[in-house]
Amino acid sequence: MNIRVLRIELRRSLAPWAGAVVLTTALAFLYLVDAAWWRGTTAWTAQWTSMALWTRALLFYLWPLAVGFGALQGLRDHRSKMSELLKSTPRPARHRAAALAGITATTLVSAFALLVLVGAAQVLAGATYTHLGWLPISLVGALSLVAGAVLGMGAGRVLPSVLTPPALAMGAFVFTALLQMSPGRTETVTQEGYPSTEPNRVSLLSPAVQEVHHVLVTLSAPVHAGQTIWLLGMAATGFALLAAATARARLLALTPVLAGAVTALLVLPSDPRRMYVVDTAAAEPVCDGPVCVTKAHEPRLADLADPAGEALGLLRAALGGRAPVSVRENTAVLPDGAMPRWSRTTVLVDFDDDLIGAAEGEELTWALIARGMVPGCTPAGWSSFGGEDIARSVAAGWVLGDLKSPPGTGPADLRQEIDTEAREVWKDLRALPRAEQLSRINAMRAAALSCEGDVLEALTGGASR
């Protein structure tokens, strides 16, 4: 296959349109929809791994598009009524199949590469932590588009009907959607009784990945290997169908995709903790005295160090020997529904936290004290307003000696309600002797750190508010 043949195929095929649709719709989706990929530390332009995972997440609809375009391409000879003529030529069918698949693969890979380059240019402008661990994620994503398109071409050649492209595209979309829903999730109940779901190995057969919830999360090497095997089997089946001339050859062409699926399921990890894993290099601590952040967030250390040191000093003055002695970025990655675990000696910081993320100076000191006193016992993936927020505000005020309205985001009416309740609890607490105040603060903090009992009830001595 030479350049002249590729040029002819490029003019005759739908490949340029397929690449243009993949690129433009992906960019439109990312730039016109205000969603999670623009927010917090996991924004698609914030870090390399997040960028790669978010572009892979778009495959939930890009992959069905590739399959549909491939099927439409596979109908070309049937539409032009050239099938019989081409069979009579001495040129092997695999040569024609290679030319058709090659130009389509090149166009789709180029489109996906441009999408990744758009994100990479923005990450490069802002991120200081650089690595190549994100590259396999994007390479597997590009391979999935090629495999889907080639499989669609083969199916279009075998089933030459105008209904084949839309049916395959819809089938591929249902496939990716189902694998991200119940068939691809394992439902359990935590020890505390909260429902929890984790991905299973079947979900990893989807070209798309789940949404990015933590900046330190990446895909493990066995996941890359298993998905590559599955996609290569898919591409081999598509190419074999594209070149097959007999019913027996078409039946044998199904062997690679079946063998690839079986082999991939043997290679893919069954333990959810070995699927989406913590990037140990990105999570490596960078410290300034007792204050540590991860390597991925090293630039934030300078702004965090002084407020954190001040917060630790104020906590030590208020709590004595029970006070935390360090501030560290939280690197724990929990499945949805899991209950967090806290340390008495360390204030764990999450830069996606509403209190911590946007706070600076005195507000950051307040937020660190508040998290040190009442870290929060909301299950991972959940959100809530209520007693913990009231107790947290009062506890921070007790350490600082003055009650202040908490910074952060959330509905204005709820924040006002929490502020009003906090002032009532504050008045009652300040009216007590110092020893009783300390006793209630210690009881509240014990309940907050263990996630057992009601922190507000412990702070109010059992009185209902």
Side-chain angles (χ1 to χ4, degrees):
M1 183 166 36
N2 54 38
I3 300 298
R4 180 171 174 272
V5 173
L6 288 177
R7 274 199 222 135
I8 294 172
E9 285 293 340
L10 187 62
R11 289 197 300 268
R12 293 179 61 212
S13 74
L14 293 171
W17 290 102
V21 169
V22 165
L23 178 61
T24 55
T25 57
L27 290 175
F29 205 82
L30 287 169
Y31 281 96
L32 299 181
V33 179
D34 183 17
W37 49 78
W38 284 113
R39 301 193 184 107
T41 61
T42 58
W44 83 291
T45 58
Q47 296 287 348
W48 292 102
T49 302
S50 298
M51 180 273 296
L53 287 172
W54 276 121
T55 50
R56 274 286 297 277
L58 293 180
L59 291 177
F60 84 92
Y61 82 91
L62 292 180
W63 187 72
L65 279 178
V67 173
F69 270 112
L72 195 59
Q73 184 83 314
L75 294 178
R76 186 180 68 180
D77 293 345
H78 176 75
R79 291 197 313 268
S80 59
K81 300 179 181 180
M82 293 178 56
S83 300
E84 294 297 329
L85 175 62
L86 292 173
K87 286 179 183 179
S88 65
T89 62
R91 187 184 182 192
R94 64 179 180 274
H95 288 184
R96 296 193 302 272
L100 186 61
I103 195 63
T104 302
T106 301
T107 306
L108 287 174
V109 168
S110 299
F112 192 74
L114 285 173
L115 173 65
V116 172
L117 284 174
V118 170
Q122 296 175 85
V123 174
L124 191 61
T128 58
Y129 173 63
T130 58
H131 62 102
L132 294 178
W134 61 274
L135 198 54
I137 301 173
S138 294
L139 290 176
V140 173
L143 176 60
S144 69
L145 289 176
V146 173
V150 175
L151 181 66
M153 282 186 240
R157 178 68 60 85
V158 172
L159 303 171
S161 168
V162 292
L163 298 178
T164 299
L168 281 178
M170 183 56 66
F173 180 77
V174 171
F175 175 77
T176 57
L178 286 177
L179 290 189
Q180 297 298 315
M181 295 163 59
S182 54
R185 309 285 297 185
T186 300
E187 296 185 6
T188 57
V189 178
T190 65
Q191 294 179 350
E192 296 82 10
Y194 293 98
S196 175
T197 63
E198 294 180 293
N200 57 39
R201 74 173 78 190
V202 175
S203 69
L204 299 176
L205 294 179
S206 170
V209 298
Q210 66 181 16
E211 290 188 358
V212 187
H213 296 297
H214 201 292
V215 68
L216 300 179
V217 167
T218 187
L219 291 172
S220 64
V223 172
H224 298 318
Q227 290 179 336
T228 300
I229 292 170
W230 157 239
L231 293 169
L232 287 176
M234 186 187 301
T237 288
F239 186 81
L241 289 173
L242 196 57
T246 65
R248 183 173 179 272
R250 290 169 181 171
L251 189 60
L252 289 175
L254 300 177
T255 303
V257 71
L258 296 176
V262 172
T263 307
L265 289 174
L266 293 175
V267 173
L268 292 169
S270 57
D271 186 351
R273 291 170 295 183
R274 294 179 57 235
M275 298 175 188
Y276 292 88
V277 298
V278 174
D279 184 341
T280 53
E284 182 181 349
V286 179
C287 301
D288 182 354
V291 183
C292 298
V293 298
T294 62
K295 184 71 175 176
H297 289 144
E298 185 175 2
R300 291 179 176 258
L301 182 59
D303 295 331
L304 180 65
D306 289 341
E310 184 179 354
L312 290 175
L314 291 168
L315 287 168
R316 190 181 311 112
L319 300 174
R322 293 175 177 266
V325 295
S326 63
V327 174
R328 292 179 179 270
E329 184 177 352
N330 191 0
T331 59
V333 179
L334 302 175
D336 287 349
M339 189 64 73
R341 293 288 181 265
W342 305 112
S343 168
R344 183 187 65 82
T345 59
T346 302
V347 179
L348 295 177
V349 172
D350 184 348
F351 290 114
D352 281 326
D353 180 2
D354 288 342
L355 289 179
I356 302 292
E360 297 178 353
E362 293 184 0
E363 283 193 350
L364 183 54
T365 300
W366 186 100
L368 291 168
I369 292 172
R371 286 301 182 195
M373 297 295 284
V374 184
C377 291
T378 304
W382 295 29
S383 61
S384 65
F385 282 91
E388 278 191 348
D389 300 276
I390 298 170
R392 184 178 296 117
S393 182
V394 173
W398 184 82
V399 171
L400 292 168
D402 183 25
L403 183 67
K404 297 180 180 179
S405 298
T409 60
D413 56 340
L414 285 176
R415 292 207 315 271
Q416 184 176 2
E417 181 180 346
I418 289 170
D419 193 45
T420 302
E421 291 284 340
R423 293 191 180 280
E424 294 181 12
V425 176
W426 167 258
K427 291 178 183 178
D428 294 342
L429 181 66
R430 294 288 288 177
L432 298 173
R434 178 69 181 182
E436 179 62 19
Q437 292 181 33
L438 183 59
S439 175
R440 291 194 181 185
I441 288 290
N442 287 332
M444 176 213 68
R445 191 159 180 261
L449 293 175
S450 65
C451 290
E452 296 177 359
D454 189 310
V455 293
L456 184 58
E457 185 176 331
L459 184 60
T460 59
S464 60
R465 303 302 308 174

